[in-house]
Amino acid sequence: MTTTDPTCAHSELDGFQADRAYLGADHRRNERRTQIVMGICIAALIAQVAGGLIFHSMALTASGLHMAAHVAALLVASGAYALARRHATSPSFAFGTGKIGYLAGFANAVVLGMTAVLIAVESVQRLFTPETVDYASALPLAAGGLAVTLVCVWLLKPTEHGRHDLNISAAHLHLSADALVGVLAIAGLFAGQRLGWAWADPAAGLAGAALVAQFAVSLVRRAGATLLDMNPSQDLTAEVRGRLEAEGEQVTDLHLWRLGPGHHAAVAVVSAPEPRPAEAYHLRLKGLEGLSHVTVEVRVANPR
């Protein structure tokens, strides 16, 4: 059994990102885009909900309710960007504010799930107690709402640098789901108008609810994995271990977790009969993409 010297060298080096901000590469740009899209969604929300109530369309109302969830989600996302930026270098946050966006994403997933339940309940009620739908008026409004949503989806499309930013990805996912719900709404209205299928409109609402619920579960899993510090990349972990053991050392403990969009932290314990200084192991990891904070503890392993 390998023993260790009670005296060990310890080094916590932050040369990769000295300010410990750990924000996404497109943080400011994503914040501005979120605010612009939020304004557009507020206008679309008012039009869709009013149209659904006036024309008695459940599918149109469902689309409006889903848009309301987007407005709330975008408000949370915008607030998260502002909060993370404002406190990026605050000493109160030991590992920066990069996770605030993931917390916002988790909150938005919960809101999205609640919206799915509301849409499903109202759709079931409309199946058993149908109302007369003004298809001629509802269809153009639904088409207009879909067009607005598609524009917002395009505006919020994550860039290559922003692909790790769950905050913008969650907002984009919300609107992508809304676009699909809009397509279902138009299909339901069209079937009701042309084929006389009164059940098609609430059925479209139910289908939209199932779709929204699926997106909500996906967001919960992604955000929860980061908030609970689950290992974000087995490949990166293997690369870190391989570099630290390049000269026959043994990594006896290794933890990797996400700090923010595109930023990861690693804590490692390296053991060897004649280990090098901790700074040397830090240099082995220098330039490893996505690794922004490294703590290395070096222990002397006594021979058997």
Side-chain angles (χ1 to χ4, degrees):
M1 183 177 187
T2 301
T3 58
T4 60
D5 191 298
T7 303
C8 62
H10 181 274
S11 175
E12 183 172 341
L13 302 174
D14 237 0
F16 300 143
Q17 174 116 352
D19 60 6
R20 299 193 180 190
Y22 306 132
L23 302 181
D26 291 336
H27 188 90
R28 287 184 179 274
R29 180 169 180 263
N30 289 342
E31 182 179 356
R32 290 192 296 270
R33 288 195 296 165
T34 301
Q35 293 169 347
I36 292 172
V37 172
M38 181 169 61
I40 296 174
C41 287
I42 289 175
L45 160 67
I46 295 173
Q48 287 181 332
V49 172
L53 294 175
I54 294 172
F55 306 133
H56 306 294
S57 167
M58 185 55 230
L60 195 56
T61 302
S63 183
L65 289 175
H66 193 202
M67 185 64 74
H70 290 326
V71 171
L74 290 165
L75 182 62
V76 171
S78 178
Y81 278 125
L83 187 63
R85 173 173 46 81
R86 187 175 306 159
H87 298 284
T89 58
S90 171
S92 299
F93 295 89
F95 286 100
T97 57
K99 282 188 177 181
I100 290 180
Y102 293 88
L103 183 60
F106 186 88
N108 286 337
V110 173
V111 173
L112 197 61
M114 293 173 61
T115 302
V117 173
L118 291 174
I119 293 174
V121 170
E122 184 64 23
S123 296
V124 169
Q125 290 178 349
R126 292 292 180 91
L127 278 173
F128 290 100
T129 56
E131 295 187 15
T132 302
V133 178
D134 185 346
Y135 296 110
S137 300
L139 270 169
L141 194 56
L146 177 59
V148 170
T149 301
L150 290 175
V151 171
C152 293
V153 168
W154 177 76
L155 287 173
L156 283 183
K157 183 179 179 180
T159 63
E160 180 64 21
H161 290 297
R163 67 185 186 279
H164 299 297
D165 189 339
L166 184 67
N167 204 15
I168 195 72
S169 295
H172 182 261
L173 188 62
H174 271 262
L175 291 167
S176 297
D178 188 65
L180 293 175
V181 170
V183 172
L184 290 173
I186 291 174
L189 290 169
F190 187 80
Q193 182 187 49
R194 295 306 178 100
L195 302 176
W197 295 350
W199 53 266
D201 185 67
L206 275 176
L211 185 65
V212 172
Q214 183 178 354
F215 280 117
V217 170
S218 175
L219 278 178
V220 165
R221 288 177 175 173
R222 292 177 59 191
T226 295
L227 294 175
L228 295 175
D229 291 330
M230 294 179 65
N231 190 316
S233 173
Q234 294 297 335
D235 291 338
L236 183 57
T237 301
E239 180 66 20
V240 170
R241 182 181 295 275
R243 292 193 182 196
L244 293 177
E245 296 180 340
E247 296 182 8
E249 297 91 345
Q250 181 182 7
V251 175
T252 58
D253 195 16
L254 176 60
H255 299 278
L256 186 77
W257 70 97
R258 191 185 303 277
L259 296 172
H263 297 284
H264 302 86
V267 174
V269 178
V270 180
S271 177
E274 297 181 2
R276 303 183 66 183
E279 289 79 2
Y281 297 107
H282 174 81
L283 289 175
R284 291 185 188 180
L285 301 177
K286 189 76 173 180
L288 191 55
E289 184 179 1
L291 193 58
S292 303
H293 182 98
V294 175
T295 301
V296 177
E297 181 178 322
V298 180
R299 297 181 179 180
V300 180
N302 295 327
R304 295 182 180 181

